[in-house]
Amino acid sequence: MTFKRPSDEQLLNEQAQQGRAMIENAILSLLATTEAGLSNAEIADQLGLKSSGKTGQRNYLTWSVLQKLVLEDRVQSLPRPRSKSGVIYRVEKGA
């Protein structure tokens, strides 16, 4: 029996999915440490994933992962207290 070697594309896809899952787990673990929640900027800073680009997009990696987690109901997105704009993210305890 011969095994077909996965293509480079398959290997790269697997690596990317593993990386995304690791970032998701890191975000969920971090959010579990605070009841008040954290902003995207705070999450990016604490995980060492801060970024900025020429287009003005900042911390897009963590923001996009957070949006996926919100859509999956794994993270809550709530208005930031005492702020006219901005949100905080948190996980429900026991969730």
Side-chain angles (χ1 to χ4, degrees):
M1 177 183 219
T2 48
F3 292 98
K4 181 181 174 193
R5 181 174 172 228
S7 70
D8 289 342
E9 183 178 337
Q10 288 173 315
L11 291 173
L12 292 173
N13 184 279
E14 287 175 22
Q15 288 176 339
Q17 297 309 311
Q18 290 170 359
R20 180 193 43 79
M22 291 175 73
I23 292 171
E24 286 178 10
N25 289 332
I27 288 172
L28 292 169
S29 295
L30 177 61
L31 289 174
T33 68
T34 177
E35 290 185 30
L38 297 167
S39 69
N40 177 46
E42 292 167 328
I43 292 166
D45 184 47
Q46 290 188 37
L47 295 179
L49 297 172
K50 284 179 76 168
S51 64
S52 62
K54 293 179 182 178
T55 62
Q57 297 291 333
R58 293 189 324 211
N59 305 321
Y60 187 76
L61 175 61
T62 50
W63 180 85
S64 63
V65 173
L66 282 163
Q67 298 315 301
K68 179 180 181 294
L69 294 171
V70 168
L71 288 173
E72 294 173 347
D73 291 325
R74 295 169 67 193
V75 168
Q76 295 177 314
S77 174
L78 304 165
R80 188 174 190 107
R82 298 175 298 282
S83 174
K84 292 182 181 181
S85 64
V87 296
I88 58 167
Y89 299 92
R90 71 176 192 185
V91 292
E92 288 189 58
K93 296 296 181 191

